[in-house]
Amino acid sequence: QVQVAESGGGLVQAGKSLRLSCIISGLNFDDYAMGWFRQAPGKEREPVACVAWNGISRYHVDSVRGRFTVSRDSAKKVLYLQMNTLKPDDTAMYYCAALWRNNYQGACQYTASGLHYWGQGTQVTVSS
């Protein structure tokens, strides 16, 4: 039984920080690239930041680069997203994903037909 569980979301003012966590169980953590995606109401889901299976290659989309940092702890099977200098445009439901390494193409790109697992999401709301 694979479980993916996000936590750490909340309501904060612009300029503040949050750290999201994603706990993984039921799979070999190091066989998967890990990523954060987000979806705001009325918008399509978009990538935020991802890290490859080996924890070396990291990718952050332009809109968060320099403010957000993705990292993974293989021993604890936890994925993190440190979010600093939050903006109202960061408001969204944030989802954690485990992306099978053979179907991960880098830069948060993957083939949808692969074996991937998603969490239920954690809400981040940034007020002005």
Side-chain angles (χ1 to χ4, degrees):
Q1 183 177 356
V2 176
Q3 293 183 315
V4 180
E6 306 96 333
S7 63
L11 173 63
V12 298
Q13 291 183 316
K16 300 299 183 180
S17 298
L18 284 173
R19 188 180 73 165
L20 306 184
S21 299
C22 175
I23 301 176
I24 312 297
S25 64
L27 55 75
N28 188 346
F29 188 67
D30 292 336
D31 281 341
Y32 293 82
M34 299 295 301
W36 291 99
F37 298 77
R38 67 187 182 187
Q39 186 170 19
K43 296 184 178 180
E44 298 292 327
R45 186 185 67 189
E46 64 177 0
V48 178
C50 296
V51 57
W53 65 272
N54 57 15
I56 297 175
S57 181
R58 301 180 185 182
Y59 171 80
H60 303 80
V61 297
D62 291 344
S63 61
V64 308
R65 193 171 298 138
R67 299 187 298 117
F68 292 8
T69 302
V70 64
S71 61
R72 63 190 292 163
D73 186 328
S74 294
K76 297 181 178 180
K77 295 185 177 181
V78 178
L79 176 73
Y80 300 101
L81 183 66
Q82 179 66 46
M83 304 186 295
N84 297 328
T85 319
L86 283 161
K87 302 176 180 180
D89 284 348
D90 296 319
T91 296
M93 183 72 75
Y94 283 71
Y95 297 93
C96 173
L99 310 171
W100 175 241
R101 57 185 288 183
N102 288 351
N103 297 103
Y104 181 66
Q105 301 170 319
C108 286
Q109 296 184 342
Y110 61 95
T111 57
S113 60
L115 296 176
H116 312 303
Y117 301 93
W118 294 82
Q120 296 300 307
T122 184
Q123 179 67 40
V124 172
T125 302
V126 185
S127 64
S128 300

